[in-house]
Amino acid sequence: MLALFETPAGYAIFKLLDEKKLAQSENLYHDFTTAEGASRVVKLKHFEKFADTTEALAATTAAVEGKISKSLKKMLKKHVVKDLQDQLLVADAKLGNAIKDKFNVSCVSNTAVQELMRCIRSQMDSLLAGLPKKEMTAMALGLAHSLSRYKLKFSPDKIDTMIVQAVCLLDDLDKELNNYIMRCREWYGWHFPELGKIITDNIAFVKTVKIIGMREYTSSSDLSDILPEEIEEKVKEAAEISMGTEISEDDIQNIQHLCDQVIEISSYRTQLYDYLRSRMMAMAPNLTVLVGDLVGARLIAHAGSLINLAKHPASTVQILGAEKALFRALKTKKDTPKYGLIYHSALVGQTSTVNKGKISRMLAAKAALATRVDALGDDSSLDLGAEHKVKVEARIRLLDEGNLRRISGTGKAKAKFEKYHGKSEVKHYPVAADSTLPTKRKFSEVDQSPKKPLIEEIENNESERPKKKIKVEDESEVPEADYEKEQKKKKKKKNKDLEEAGTSGISQVEQADNENVSPSVTESGKKKKKKKSKQADESEKVPEDSMDVSFADTSEKKKKKKKKSSED
């Protein structure tokens, strides 16, 4: 039984002397404690050495993929296929299947074979006597470097470790600068407190303090290179009336040393930012164009490397940096966060608050695609990132305008689509709404149509409704039965009064009769109203039982008066 053993220097074929040892694999390591014991179990039959590192890399990559390399094919044809009688022991099952398919040789790969290979590796130096140890170590190191370069597609321009370190250092510098500037403002504020309110820019404040020193020298200092003329005049005016305390020369020297440190750190921070931007454009141009250099570098640093970031789905890229909020929301069963580090990108920043979640989701999807192209693509152009950026900006404009795209032809989608478009219907103003007349009208003011006068309507409806007392303007009560007679008498008297009043009175009375309103405007109407009020007072004194009799008497008196007036 033969065993195929793979080494960094070449392929070795061992012959298993005692096959019973393979059945007792649990105690096999006892036989390999010494070189003599190992030689009793296995014996080297042939060793095929690699010519160089390139051949070793080709053989190793083929073995990783489960394929047979050219050097292995030649060796198996010469030394294995002819002499093999039983089985071939192989460490990799995929490689054993490939050998079986190619040469029709039965290959064995199980836990016992794995234990045998492990024992052979422990005594490899003594079993491979013709190969020096130094050469084996050099071949192993060279093969490891070559294999790592092959797997990662190594390129000196794509070193994401430099970006990770640079962005972490940039964040540390920002924190230190904030601490130093805050300390400088507080320290110098005891001597010149007004300066901190006048100059808001931190670097300009530090440079001003370094030039001025003691506030007594402010008037003689030239601040034109740092500050505008207006602010410079304010600083000099404030120095003359400052309420700060006096300090010594040693104090101002230490403050100026702190200012020097702040200026140096800020200049180094600018230089480091330029370096980071250039490295990001060289390594991940599409991601840089899409989300910005700082946000892209922070995403790479948070993921660990560009390859790891490329493996993340878009949903993970969206909330990368908000893990604490995510797990807190899952624990408390509340809403999960919508964005993490991607919130600081320019595209999300220019979006309204309502649409930030939608844009961050879309931007995360595009960033995941751009990262995969940067990490695994051969082309180093930034066309994909620029194209995706244009799409995201168009989506932002669409959401800000409030329009909705018509995706389907359903009625619900159509209603949503038409909601944002003006309708072409023309609405007219109702003229009847301008009426100033009261809504509640008295019985005497009810509108009458020309076809059916009020009296005819009352006669038609007498059988349908019960007898009621009708209110007149002076609120006197008259029975409905005598209403028609009373109306005829009123008309006769009006005609006589109109003949005396003239044409002007005639027109007014006719208009009042047509509208069925008591002619209170004319003089005759006023006289009639007075007479009616007297009659009402007399009728109120009469009891209800004798209402019909009293009403008849009054009508007879009126007839007598009319006859006398006609005779006169």
Side-chain angles (χ1 to χ4, degrees):
M1 187 178 288
L2 300 179
L4 178 63
F5 185 73
E6 304 162 9
T7 66
Y11 290 106
I13 297 176
F14 290 95
K15 185 176 183 180
L16 187 62
L17 301 177
D18 190 0
E19 295 182 3
K20 296 180 181 179
K21 295 286 185 182
L22 191 62
Q24 301 174 356
S25 60
E26 296 177 358
N27 299 323
L28 189 61
Y29 67 95
H30 293 296
D31 298 330
F32 283 86
T33 53
T34 60
E36 295 176 357
S39 61
R40 294 194 206 101
V41 180
V42 293
K43 182 181 178 181
L44 180 64
K45 182 179 180 182
H46 179 73
F47 181 73
E48 186 74 21
K49 186 179 178 181
F50 295 133
D52 53 3
T53 309
T54 306
E55 186 180 353
L57 178 62
T60 307
T61 53
V64 169
E65 295 174 358
K67 298 178 181 178
I68 305 173
S69 62
K70 292 182 179 180
S71 58
L72 182 60
K73 284 182 183 179
K74 292 179 182 179
M75 187 192 69
L76 290 175
K77 285 180 181 179
K78 288 182 181 179
H79 303 283
V80 177
V81 178
K82 294 180 182 179
D83 300 336
L84 188 63
Q85 297 176 357
D86 191 6
Q87 291 177 338
L88 179 65
L89 305 179
V90 183
D92 191 5
K94 292 182 179 179
L95 184 60
N97 293 330
I99 294 171
K100 183 179 180 180
D101 295 338
K102 183 71 177 176
F103 299 103
N104 197 14
V105 175
S106 61
C107 299
V108 179
S109 177
N110 50 30
T111 55
V113 174
Q114 296 289 342
E115 183 66 23
L116 177 63
M117 295 298 176
R118 195 177 295 112
C119 294
I120 292 173
R121 190 174 291 108
S122 64
Q123 295 292 335
M124 187 172 55
D125 295 335
S126 61
L127 293 173
L128 298 175
L131 191 66
K133 187 176 181 179
K134 290 183 179 180
E135 188 176 353
M136 179 65 74
T137 306
M139 288 293 291
L141 183 62
L143 181 60
H145 284 298
S146 301
L147 187 61
S148 63
R149 286 192 183 95
Y150 174 78
K151 279 187 174 182
L152 300 175
K153 294 182 179 180
F154 178 79
S155 174
D157 292 334
K158 294 197 172 186
I159 308 174
D160 50 7
T161 309
M162 302 299 172
I163 290 177
V164 173
Q165 297 296 332
V167 72
C168 291
L169 179 59
L170 196 68
D171 293 337
D172 293 339
L173 287 177
D174 288 336
K175 292 179 182 177
E176 293 300 322
L177 271 175
N178 288 333
N179 291 333
Y180 280 17
I181 292 168
M182 181 184 68
R183 185 65 57 197
C184 182
R185 281 181 175 273
E186 188 177 353
W187 197 352
Y188 193 72
W190 290 100
H191 178 60
F192 193 0
E194 293 81 6
L195 185 64
K197 296 179 180 178
I198 296 172
I199 303 175
T200 56
D201 185 55
N202 293 327
I203 304 300
F205 176 83
V206 170
K207 290 181 179 179
T208 305
V209 171
K210 188 177 182 303
I211 292 174
I212 291 175
M214 304 284 282
R215 69 165 181 262
E216 288 81 6
Y217 306 121
T218 305
S219 58
S220 60
S221 301
D222 185 15
L223 304 174
S224 59
D225 297 336
I226 304 169
L227 304 174
E229 294 181 0
E230 298 176 357
I231 299 177
E232 184 179 359
E233 292 177 358
K234 290 181 180 179
V235 169
K236 291 181 179 180
E237 291 175 0
E240 297 177 357
I241 58 172
S242 178
M243 301 294 292
T245 60
E246 298 294 334
I247 58 175
S248 62
E249 291 290 339
D250 294 337
D251 297 332
I252 199 64
Q253 286 179 3
N254 285 289
I255 294 172
Q256 287 177 341
H257 288 320
L258 179 59
C259 295
D260 293 334
Q261 294 293 324
V262 172
I263 293 169
E264 290 177 4
I265 293 174
S266 63
S267 62
Y268 174 64
R269 195 250 180 213
T270 305
Q271 180 184 353
L272 183 65
Y273 176 72
D274 294 338
Y275 164 75
L276 178 64
R277 183 168 54 188
S278 63
R279 298 306 302 161
M280 280 295 296
M281 288 301 296
M283 182 177 174
N286 293 293
L287 182 64
T288 305
V289 169
L290 196 58
V291 300
D293 40 23
L294 274 178
V295 177
R298 288 194 176 99
L299 288 173
I300 293 171
H302 199 82
S305 64
L306 185 63
I307 298 292
N308 292 341
L309 183 63
K311 293 177 183 178
H312 287 323
S315 57
T316 306
V317 174
Q318 181 181 354
I319 59 170
L320 205 64
E323 290 83 4
K324 188 176 180 181
L326 173 66
F327 292 120
R328 183 174 64 246
L330 293 175
K331 186 177 180 181
T332 57
K333 295 182 180 180
K334 294 183 179 179
D335 295 336
T336 54
K338 295 180 181 178
Y339 25 66
L341 291 171
I342 207 169
Y343 178 81
H344 300 286
S345 63
L347 291 174
V348 178
Q350 69 187 17
T351 314
S352 59
T353 308
V354 181
N355 300 322
K356 282 186 186 295
K358 295 180 181 179
I359 296 303
S360 63
R361 183 170 63 251
M362 183 179 182
L363 185 61
K366 303 299 183 185
L369 294 175
T371 307
R372 291 163 192 167
V373 171
D374 291 332
L376 306 171
D378 296 331
D379 191 9
S380 61
S381 64
L382 46 86
D383 297 336
L384 182 70
E387 182 181 352
H388 287 333
K389 187 176 181 180
V390 171
K391 290 181 180 179
V392 176
E393 289 175 348
R395 178 65 175 166
I396 291 171
R397 288 195 298 270
L398 190 65
L399 289 174
D400 289 342
E401 290 172 1
N403 293 327
L404 293 174
R405 285 188 294 178
R406 190 173 181 180
I407 299 172
S408 62
T410 60
K412 189 174 181 181
K414 185 178 180 181
K416 285 184 178 180
F417 182 74
E418 291 178 352
K419 184 171 67 172
Y420 297 97
H421 295 272
K423 296 181 181 179
S424 60
E425 297 179 1
V426 180
K427 294 183 178 181
H428 297 282
Y429 180 75
V431 183
D434 289 338
S435 177
T436 58
L437 296 175
T439 55
K440 295 183 180 180
R441 300 178 184 176
K442 297 179 181 178
F443 183 81
S444 59
E445 296 178 352
V446 176
D447 295 333
Q448 296 181 3
S449 59
K451 295 181 180 179
K452 289 185 178 182
L454 183 61
I455 298 171
E456 293 179 6
E457 287 184 7
I458 294 170
E459 291 176 353
N460 294 332
N461 296 331
E462 278 181 355
S463 60
E464 295 179 2
R465 62 182 182 181
K467 292 184 179 181
K468 294 182 180 179
K469 294 180 181 181
I470 301 169
K471 291 184 179 181
V472 195
E473 284 185 355
D474 54 356
E475 297 183 356
S476 62
E477 296 180 356
V478 181
E480 278 190 8
D482 300 327
Y483 183 81
E484 186 177 352
K485 296 178 181 179
E486 187 68 18
Q487 290 290 331
K488 290 179 180 179
K489 292 175 183 179
K490 286 182 180 180
K491 285 184 179 180
K492 288 179 181 180
K493 191 158 188 179
K494 284 178 186 176
N495 292 331
K496 291 179 182 180
D497 293 337
L498 287 172
E499 289 175 2
E500 295 174 0
T503 57
S504 61
I506 291 170
S507 61
Q508 291 179 0
V509 173
E510 285 177 355
Q511 187 177 0
D513 291 335
N514 292 331
E515 293 178 357
N516 198 14
V517 180
S518 58
S520 59
V521 180
T522 59
E523 294 177 358
S524 61
K526 290 180 181 179
K527 292 178 182 179
K528 183 69 179 177
K529 194 172 183 181
K530 288 179 181 179
K531 290 179 182 179
K532 193 184 281 186
S533 61
K534 289 179 181 180
Q535 292 175 5
D537 294 334
E538 291 175 0
S539 64
E540 286 177 0
K541 294 177 183 178
V542 179
E544 293 180 359
D545 297 334
S546 60
M547 178 63 75
D548 297 334
V549 179
S550 62
F551 191 82
D553 294 338
T554 54
S555 59
E556 289 177 359
K557 290 179 181 180
K558 287 181 180 180
K559 288 179 180 179
K560 290 178 181 180
K561 288 181 181 180
K562 287 179 182 178
K563 288 180 180 180
K564 288 180 182 181
S565 60
S566 60
E567 290 175 358
D568 294 336

